[in-house]
Amino acid sequence: MTESTRPEARVPRGFVDRRARDLAAERAILDAVSEIYERYGFERLETGAFEYADALGKFLPDADRPNEGVFALQDDDEQWMALRYDLTAPLARFAAQSWETLPKPFRRYAYGPVWRNEKPGPGRFREFTQCDADTVGSARPEADAEIIAMAVEGLQAAGLPAGSAVLKINNRKLLDGLFDAHGVADPKQRLTALRAMDKYDRLGLEGVRELLGKGRLDESGDYTKGAELASTAIVAVESFLAAAGSSDLSRADVVAALANLGLGEKGEEALRELEQIDAALTSMGVAQDAARIDPTVVRGLEYYTGAVFEAELLLSTTDEKGQPVRFGSVGGGGRYDDLVARFTGERTPATGFSFGVSRLTAALRAAGRDLAAQVRGPVVVIAFDQARMADYFKVAEELRSAGVAAEVYLGQSGMKAQMKYADRRLSPAAVIVGEDELAAGTVTIKDLDLGRALSAKVTDNAEWREQRPGQQTVPRADLVATVRKILDQAS
């Protein structure tokens, strides 16, 4: 192969290579959140990476080539399959397929990779890990509240300190009631208005007002056509958005403010549901500043049927260049009572929450709160002589049998390079078994953790060599105990 025909080593846009540090951070989040879900009585479910494309429904604009939004392929029976876009569509298929044999309501959690054929951005990938919890078969608002409570607890367990994220709660029926009460009947006009309201955090009231009216010209010169609502409807939407008021308002205060707006029959139903959610959250000890009712939350416009909730990150975050970057939402969910019905024809109530673990990991790192900044490597047994490899492997196996991760260096380099290798692996210790040690029945153990700590303070190389910090020779019988002491000091 000539140099001109060699492929360039590169990662496709939206995909990332992840080493132990990244994987350990993600695993720490998943382990912590899974423990919470199981404590609430949710069972784990795992489904395949592929689903038949028709099961993913709304993401398939072209039946002949359903590849917009998803990564799809055609099987040898000419049926289209697609990598799962999220973990909820597979749940709906599973519930419809297995409903007769499932305990009802069915409470499950799931985690794993999902794939989206979309434009990547900061913290937004084409392949990423999600972690979901859902209840299928309960229409009670308390089921929504329980999901919200788990989301709050789960995000804290994932590494977000109290006050660094908030669960914002709304109800789609409030929005329907608002539009019904003010004569906004056209579905396209409603959708445009909802999309305008969704930009409230970014554009503020003035920007939303323009998008509710004729339209808005942004700083780049692009013009976005507005919803062209009547002036009375625009005023009503502004009052609705303002009902959230200060973040110091309690959930009950926000419900009371919304109740004064006259939101019709659907709005009244939504307010009753929000009152029940608030009562349940309060009984579960969920703080007012951890989960707030916020009428500005608009998500899943063609998906959610009742309560909706979104986890917003409040931490300050920066990119690799130190520039501020806004992650915003790190998860969300809501009530979706129509999804299972796509398969069965019968409405089945369901509610759930999902957060992007990969996105949350990236956000934590950008905020300087990496859960696995230092992933420990194994103890490294230094190899001096090919003829003595059996002795080195016996040392490594003795450590492994005692539950200590260990490896024999299998490269071709000398002592200095092997120590550098162990240091790059962030190994806690290196074990030296030279001819002198073998003859005396001893091992020499170098405490690399202590060495790294001291090297930052010692500037004189002669002093460093004389002190030989953290290195000790002990009887072979004391190998495991000595290494364990080093590991215990690091924990």
Side-chain angles (χ1 to χ4, degrees):
M1 180 178 289
T2 65
E3 185 173 346
S4 62
T5 61
R6 290 175 186 154
E8 180 185 351
R10 64 200 188 281
V11 178
R13 290 177 61 238
F15 295 84
V16 293
D17 298 321
R18 298 181 299 164
R19 293 187 63 190
R21 163 184 160 176
D22 306 297
L23 296 172
E26 187 170 290
R27 185 167 61 187
I29 291 174
L30 291 173
D31 287 347
V33 175
S34 295
E35 189 276 330
I36 288 168
Y37 289 163
E38 290 179 6
R39 182 151 41 86
Y40 274 77
F42 284 64
E43 69 167 81
R44 187 180 171 196
L45 172 69
E46 187 171 298
T47 59
F50 276 91
E51 294 284 336
Y52 282 114
D54 58 3
L56 301 178
K58 73 191 187 79
F59 302 109
L60 307 178
D62 184 353
D64 294 328
R65 177 59 180 161
N67 63 344
E68 184 175 331
V70 296
F71 294 99
L73 59 86
Q74 199 167 24
D75 204 355
D76 55 12
D77 61 0
E78 299 188 352
Q79 293 192 74
W80 281 98
M81 301 187 301
L83 285 170
R84 61 192 183 199
Y85 185 92
D86 61 15
L87 298 175
T88 311
L91 169 64
R93 187 268 307 157
F94 173 82
Q97 190 175 4
S98 313
W99 192 243
E100 293 303 318
T101 62
L102 292 177
K104 304 174 188 64
F106 178 55
R107 299 150 66 85
R108 85 86 173 91
Y109 77 94
Y111 58 78
V114 298
W115 296 265
R116 298 189 179 183
N117 190 4
E118 299 175 341
K119 183 178 180 180
R124 189 178 297 277
F125 310 105
R126 286 172 167 155
E127 178 185 26
F128 56 96
T129 302
Q130 279 191 333
C131 186
D132 291 17
D134 297 79
T135 297
V136 182
S138 174
R140 298 173 66 101
E142 289 82 2
D144 301 304
E146 186 177 55
I147 293 289
I148 294 167
M150 287 197 305
V152 169
E153 197 170 340
L155 287 168
Q156 291 177 354
L160 291 173
S164 60
V166 61
L167 256 291
K168 296 182 175 181
I169 309 160
N170 197 7
N171 194 307
R172 283 298 312 278
K173 296 174 190 175
L174 282 177
L175 302 167
D176 292 337
L178 174 68
F179 292 137
D180 288 347
H182 294 278
V184 185
D186 180 64
K188 290 185 178 179
Q189 195 176 30
R190 285 192 179 201
L191 189 59
T192 303
L194 286 169
R195 286 174 175 159
M197 295 166 70
D198 194 32
K199 296 179 173 65
Y200 178 76
D201 281 350
R202 183 164 57 89
L203 300 180
L205 198 57
E206 181 59 36
V208 172
R209 183 184 296 119
E210 293 175 347
L211 291 174
L212 292 172
K214 294 294 185 182
R216 181 177 183 273
L217 185 69
D218 65 23
E219 295 176 356
S220 68
D222 291 337
Y223 183 78
T224 303
K225 192 176 186 305
E228 298 188 353
L229 299 185
S231 58
T232 54
I234 293 176
V235 171
V237 171
E238 290 177 353
S239 298
F240 180 83
L241 293 174
S246 167
S247 60
D248 294 333
L249 288 178
S250 70
R251 293 185 289 260
D253 289 338
V254 177
V255 171
L258 291 168
N260 292 326
L261 298 181
L263 300 176
E265 184 177 342
K266 287 184 178 178
E268 292 298 323
E269 182 181 350
L271 290 173
R272 288 193 296 271
E273 291 175 2
L274 288 174
E275 286 176 343
Q276 290 173 271
I277 289 173
D278 173 38
L281 290 175
T282 301
S283 68
M284 286 186 281
V286 178
Q288 297 287 336
D289 61 349
R292 299 203 310 258
I293 293 176
D294 186 339
T296 67
V297 173
V298 180
R299 60 179 290 114
L301 303 179
E302 300 170 344
Y303 183 80
Y304 293 114
T305 58
V308 292
F309 18 93
E310 188 165 81
E312 181 181 348
L313 186 69
L314 304 178
L315 285 173
S316 298
T317 53
T318 57
D319 60 18
E320 294 83 355
K321 299 179 180 179
Q323 297 299 314
V325 59
R326 183 178 182 273
F327 274 87
S329 173
V330 291
R335 179 161 288 281
Y336 53 95
D337 291 345
D338 294 332
L339 197 59
V340 177
R342 293 187 59 250
F343 300 94
T344 64
E346 298 180 5
R347 198 171 216 227
T348 304
T351 183
F353 176 84
S354 171
F355 65 86
V357 180
S358 304
R359 183 171 173 79
L360 180 57
T361 303
L364 286 167
R365 183 164 298 137
R369 296 180 179 275
D370 195 344
L371 290 184
Q374 303 291 326
V375 177
R376 306 317 311 274
V379 172
V380 174
V381 179
I382 303 299
F384 294 99
D385 185 351
Q386 177 66 33
R388 293 290 193 176
M389 291 300 289
D391 295 305
Y392 308 145
F393 276 109
K394 286 179 181 178
V395 171
E397 183 55 32
E398 185 176 342
L399 289 167
R400 291 171 190 153
S401 296
V404 177
E407 68 170 79
V408 177
Y409 180 78
L410 295 178
Q412 302 294 328
S413 301
M415 172 77 166
K416 184 177 180 180
Q418 293 187 50
M419 284 297 184
K420 185 176 182 180
Y421 168 84
D423 195 51
R424 283 185 172 178
R425 292 295 310 274
L426 288 178
S427 301
V431 178
I432 300 167
V433 191
E435 291 297 331
D436 291 343
E437 284 84 2
L438 287 168
T442 61
V443 291
T444 297
I445 301 169
K446 191 173 184 69
D447 184 340
L448 298 179
D449 283 337
L450 181 59
R452 278 186 283 267
L454 292 177
S455 65
K457 302 176 183 178
V458 178
T459 57
D460 185 277
N461 287 334
E463 178 188 356
W464 174 259
R465 287 193 297 269
E466 183 180 344
Q467 290 182 356
R468 295 177 66 189
Q471 182 167 302
Q472 55 185 310
T473 300
V474 300
R476 174 66 179 272
D478 294 338
L479 165 66
V480 171
T482 305
V483 170
R484 280 201 180 282
K485 185 177 180 180
I486 293 172
L487 292 173
D488 291 341
Q489 289 171 339
S491 61

